[in-house]
Amino acid sequence: MSNDNLVANFEAYSEWRSNLIQRIGELQRWLSEQDLNDAQTNMRIQHLIDKLREDKLNIAFVAEFSRGKSELINAIFFAEYKQRVLPSSAGRTTMCPTELQYDAERPNCIQLLPIETRGTDTTTSEYRRYPEEWTTISLDIDSGEAMLAAFQQVGQKKWVTVDEAKKLGLYDEQDPDHKLSVQNGQIEIPCWRHAIINFPHPLLKQGLVILDTPGLNAIGTEPELTLNLLPNAHAILFILAADTGVTKTDIDVWRNHIGKAQGGQRGRMAVLNKIDGLWDSLKSEAEINAEIDKQVKTSADLLGIKPSQVFPVSAQKGLVAKINDDLPLLEKARLRQLEKALSEDLIPFKQEIVRDNTHTEVEDLVLATRGILNARGDGVREQLEELTALRGKNRDVIEHMLDKIQEEKVHFERGMQRFQALRSVFSQQTNVLFGYLGMDNLKNRITKIRVEMDASSFSSGLTGAMQKFFKDINGNITRSAEQVAEIQAMMAGMYKKFSEEHGLGAVTPPPFSTLKYHKEIARLEKSFNEHFNTFGAILTTSQNKLTKKFFETIASRVVYVYEVANRDAENWLKAVMAPMETQVREHQMQLRRRLESVKRIHKATDTLEDRIEELNEIDTVIQQQLAELDARLKKAYEALNALMQPVERHAA
């Protein structure tokens, strides 16, 4: 029973991705063999291959305490170990956000970030760059007991003073639950802020990343979850309990952090766990099923989703059934329906995203290569026409042809001077663009906001500072979009001029949109405002601490958006200039070859017929290259569009 549909389909997805990498690699090697690639093309292909190799599928599990979240992860992913891998018992077992993943370059281990790091303004993302800040525990994957003991470290807790908890943003004097938790001036807190488990599970090896969150309250206190990890998850499983149903907190979290996902509600599922609590020996199976169906419908109505997005299960009974190979119990636990949905909805959804992105990249690369080959073919055919026209002509005609080509060369060299001037203007315009997207400028703004936040305990002051921050950021992105339009218009004019004057192929500079950066900044601003609106005019110490944490996470995310924008702009600028540079280079080569051919014929070092035959052979090779390019594109498209058939695997 360990090889369920989910494992089988994920393997099929990984195979599809590997096949795609292979086809793109073959295209890269062929372009190199045919001398059709340059540094820019090589860089683009390598970037595409690396992106496919590093491709991850992120599934987040979100729930209030004691909803059976860890048990569900055990039942879906770790049943083949014939025991619980993640600790699961009544009460709080997951105390910090925990990521399960696999990186072959790192040892099997658990990395734990001490809770004390919450006392700094540094984000979890930033700490990932510094392994020495984490506590590392090795994992002995051959011993179930040793593994369980290591995993239990993640849930470690300790007692600290209320003041210490306040400094870490883990105690709010206005929260009655926090007050009730205090014993002798102390409160229990988790030992760790974040855990990363590097574990060689077959699914994790193929790129699955599982995020186990520590209860709904952490979504408010750890901004990294709210602003980064959850929005970027490809799937979120929101676990409810069949006995308690949907609570007010559940509705708030679903509406604010889960249901409003980018790309609609695809990949967002609600799991109604602990249906075994409704199994009543005094009721018929039909009555029990009717009660479960009623709970499903009520939950769907309250969350504002379709009943088909709510999956009733018993994670605990499902795990027991898998461990004991008990098929009737597994059916009753309804775990397979959830696994099937993950297999047949989530994985194809992920495949669609990867397919669309890869298709665009491959198409652009092939289009550029076809342009080079067509230019070469046109040049060869032009030479053939010239030389064929010389058959039976005297030396005067050949000299006239030489003069004509020399004139073309001089005319083109004058055009080259304009091209060099254009490059200089292009470089200036590029500097203006990167001025708007400047990282130093951004980091100075962030530092300024930090100073203002430290100086103010009033929400009005902080709100004003943050509104100005978002306005400035959006303003710079808008100005960069205007600069992009200016560069695009300038290059379009130059392409048109070169096309008319020198017969170069007409090229439309590729478009570039800043919409996705505006959207991400708008999402961050909305998250900050929603978080901030819950506070009063004067901020308490813990609220102030939390607000600073939110700001640091937002700032880190804005820096990331700017880094992506800079990289995208750089790639776009290369894509704008590269076709013209390639065409200019090809045209220069063709002129040189034409001149050389006629000179050699004029000096009688080559016979006219030999040169015509040579050019015919070159033309044949170019036509073969074009046919081969189309064949390789077809293979890449076949790999891209290969349908991943849902695989059904049931153990005997």
Side-chain angles (χ1 to χ4, degrees):
M1 255 183 245
S2 59
N3 277 337
D4 54 33
N5 297 350
L6 186 58
V7 175
N9 277 287
F10 209 100
E11 282 170 358
Y13 171 71
S14 293
E15 199 176 313
W16 171 81
R17 197 176 51 203
S18 300
N19 193 30
L20 194 51
I21 291 168
Q22 189 183 333
R23 290 281 176 266
I24 294 166
E26 285 168 6
L27 176 65
Q28 185 181 32
R29 283 190 294 277
W30 180 79
L31 289 172
S32 187
E33 286 162 10
Q34 303 297 317
D35 196 24
L36 287 166
N37 64 344
D38 52 24
Q40 169 67 4
T41 306
N42 251 338
M43 190 179 77
R44 281 183 72 181
I45 294 178
Q46 200 49 55
H47 178 64
L48 180 58
I49 289 172
D50 290 344
K51 213 159 66 170
L52 285 167
R53 282 201 181 116
E54 291 160 13
D55 173 55
K56 301 287 182 192
L57 179 65
N58 299 293
I59 302 182
F61 287 73
V62 179
E64 189 49 282
F65 294 114
S66 301
R67 296 279 169 84
K69 181 167 38 68
S70 300
E71 192 77 320
L72 186 63
I73 297 172
N74 281 325
I76 295 175
F77 300 105
F78 299 116
E80 69 263 33
Y81 291 94
K82 298 297 180 186
Q83 67 171 60
R84 286 189 177 94
V85 172
L86 289 182
S88 174
S89 58
R92 304 181 175 198
T93 51
T94 306
M95 293 299 290
C96 67
T98 304
E99 288 177 77
L100 289 100
Q101 53 182 244
Y102 185 66
D103 178 354
E105 292 179 11
R106 287 171 44 226
N108 301 327
C109 65
I110 300 177
Q111 285 179 292
L112 300 160
L113 185 64
I115 196 71
E116 286 72 22
T117 58
R118 279 181 62 94
T120 70
D121 290 328
T122 310
T123 63
T124 309
S125 295
E126 187 68 21
Y127 273 115
R128 287 171 197 263
R129 299 181 193 180
Y130 304 100
E132 67 276 9
E133 298 288 340
W134 300 64
T135 298
T136 303
I137 299 166
S138 61
L139 267 182
D140 178 5
I141 59 164
D142 297 321
S143 163
E145 284 180 14
M147 249 189 348
L148 188 59
F151 274 84
Q152 280 172 335
Q153 300 280 317
V154 178
Q156 275 188 334
K157 293 172 271 191
K158 63 181 177 182
W159 289 89
V160 297
T161 63
V162 168
D163 282 347
E164 181 64 22
K166 267 187 199 174
K167 281 180 198 163
L168 299 176
L170 294 171
Y171 181 83
D172 182 357
E173 52 263 49
Q174 293 181 344
D175 187 330
D177 288 345
H178 281 196
K179 285 183 176 176
L180 285 171
S181 304
V182 177
Q183 291 181 25
N184 301 320
Q186 292 197 315
I187 188 168
E188 197 174 32
I189 64 165
C191 286
W192 314 110
R193 180 180 179 185
H194 199 91
I196 299 171
I197 300 173
N198 199 51
F199 184 71
H201 182 279
L203 284 175
L204 302 182
K205 278 182 176 179
Q206 287 162 21
L208 179 70
V209 176
I210 299 167
L211 173 65
D212 188 6
T213 61
L216 301 181
N217 69 332
I219 290 173
T221 59
E222 193 53 79
E224 186 84 359
L225 277 174
T226 316
L227 298 170
N228 191 5
L229 294 173
L230 288 181
N232 292 319
H234 299 103
I236 298 179
L237 269 65
F238 190 55
I239 296 106
L240 310 161
D243 50 357
T244 57
V246 182
T247 65
K248 184 184 179 300
T249 314
D250 289 334
I251 294 170
D252 290 344
V253 170
W254 177 270
R255 285 180 185 163
N256 294 328
H257 303 295
I258 300 171
K260 295 186 297 190
Q262 293 167 4
Q265 289 183 346
R266 194 162 178 189
R268 271 49 184 164
M269 302 172 184
V271 178
L272 194 62
N273 193 21
K274 304 190 178 183
I275 58 167
D276 50 295
L278 303 175
W279 298 349
D280 187 339
S281 55
L282 299 177
K283 288 181 181 174
S284 69
E285 198 169 325
E287 286 173 317
I288 293 168
N289 287 338
E291 198 168 336
I292 292 171
D293 290 345
K294 184 184 165 193
Q295 278 282 53
V296 166
K297 189 180 182 310
T298 305
S299 301
D301 289 346
L302 288 167
L303 296 177
I305 56 176
K306 297 172 188 169
S308 58
Q309 282 176 267
V310 182
F311 295 86
V313 302
S314 170
Q316 193 266 334
K317 294 294 185 280
L319 178 62
V320 170
K322 284 188 175 185
I323 289 171
N324 297 329
D325 295 330
D326 185 340
L327 272 174
L329 182 58
L330 188 61
E331 285 304 311
K332 201 176 177 188
R334 302 199 192 189
L335 204 58
R336 287 219 182 275
Q337 287 90 319
L338 174 60
E339 291 173 343
K340 193 171 183 226
L342 283 170
S343 297
E344 294 177 9
D345 182 46
L346 172 63
I347 295 173
F349 173 47
K350 175 68 172 146
Q351 188 190 25
E352 276 172 37
I353 297 168
V354 173
R355 181 193 287 129
D356 291 347
N357 292 343
T358 309
H359 187 281
T360 307
E361 279 288 323
V362 170
E363 204 166 57
D364 284 354
L365 288 163
V366 170
L367 198 65
T369 307
R370 194 178 281 127
I372 294 169
L373 286 171
N374 284 332
R376 285 181 189 176
D378 291 345
V380 167
R381 282 186 289 281
E382 196 176 329
Q383 282 189 68
L384 273 168
E385 279 176 29
E386 285 175 349
L387 297 185
T388 305
L390 292 178
R391 278 175 170 152
K393 299 288 191 279
N394 59 25
R395 285 181 69 82
D396 288 345
V397 175
I398 295 172
E399 280 175 6
H400 176 71
M401 179 72 73
L402 256 177
D403 291 342
K404 186 186 161 205
I405 298 170
Q406 285 280 21
E407 275 175 31
E408 274 187 53
K409 190 167 177 285
V410 169
H411 176 60
F412 188 71
E413 278 165 0
R414 274 201 297 269
M416 281 301 295
Q417 287 169 358
R418 281 204 306 276
F419 178 61
Q420 293 308 329
L422 167 80
R423 285 191 67 105
S424 174
V425 176
F426 182 80
S427 179
Q428 289 164 18
Q429 299 275 36
T430 297
N431 290 339
V432 173
L433 173 60
F434 286 124
Y436 294 134
L437 297 173
M439 298 306 292
D440 289 342
N441 227 345
L442 174 64
K443 284 169 184 173
N444 288 339
R445 284 170 196 273
I446 290 168
T447 304
K448 196 178 168 193
I449 295 281
R450 280 193 194 113
V451 172
E452 287 179 28
M453 289 185 100
D454 285 338
S456 178
S457 295
F458 292 92
S459 62
S460 56
L462 296 184
T463 306
M466 284 305 293
Q467 281 171 346
K468 188 175 185 311
F469 176 67
F470 284 119
K471 189 182 173 189
D472 289 347
I473 298 300
N474 271 314
N476 272 349
I477 294 173
T478 300
R479 282 188 284 277
S480 71
E482 289 162 2
Q483 186 64 19
V484 160
E486 204 170 310
I487 293 171
Q488 198 158 12
M490 178 183 78
M491 291 305 295
M494 201 64 189
Y495 271 117
K496 189 168 182 284
K497 198 171 181 62
F498 263 70
S499 175
E500 288 166 357
E501 290 186 7
H502 307 291
L504 269 62
V507 178
T508 307
F512 181 77
S513 171
T514 56
L515 181 62
K516 67 178 178 182
Y517 319 126
H518 281 300
K519 276 186 153 182
E520 180 62 7
I521 300 299
R523 183 184 73 78
L524 294 171
E525 186 172 7
K526 191 164 182 284
S527 291
F528 184 84
N529 289 336
E530 281 172 357
H531 151 79
F532 216 71
N533 285 339
T534 60
F535 296 157
I538 302 172
L539 299 177
T540 64
T541 309
S542 58
Q543 285 171 347
N544 213 319
K545 191 83 190 163
L546 184 54
T547 302
K548 284 179 184 174
K549 281 199 180 310
F550 256 82
F551 171 70
E552 288 304 329
T553 308
I554 284 170
S556 167
R557 193 72 195 159
V558 170
V559 167
Y560 172 75
V561 169
Y562 262 55
E563 283 170 352
V564 171
N566 273 274
R567 191 172 64 239
D568 290 350
E570 212 167 286
N571 289 336
W572 175 74
L573 290 164
K574 284 173 185 167
V576 162
M577 190 52 97
M580 178 164 275
E581 287 177 331
T582 302
Q583 286 202 21
V584 165
R585 192 169 57 245
E586 286 291 324
H587 198 69
Q588 277 179 316
M589 281 165 60
Q590 297 298 347
L591 277 171
R592 203 161 46 242
R593 283 174 189 146
R594 282 168 64 200
L595 198 57
E596 198 60 39
S597 288
V598 179
K599 271 182 182 173
R600 281 156 67 186
I601 290 158
H602 184 247
K603 291 176 182 174
T605 53
D606 272 6
T607 70
L608 183 61
E609 293 307 320
D610 284 347
R611 186 61 186 146
I612 287 173
E613 190 183 335
E614 188 186 328
L615 286 168
N616 274 318
E617 284 171 7
I618 292 170
D619 189 42
T620 303
V621 168
I622 290 170
Q623 295 312 312
Q624 285 170 349
Q625 285 177 318
L626 278 164
E628 180 67 19
L629 181 66
D630 285 337
R632 288 184 180 275
L633 178 62
K634 190 182 172 194
K635 278 186 177 179
Y637 281 169
E638 280 169 2
L640 265 171
N641 298 319
L643 288 173
M644 236 178 43
Q645 297 300 332
V647 185
E648 292 285 339
R649 289 194 192 175
H650 294 288

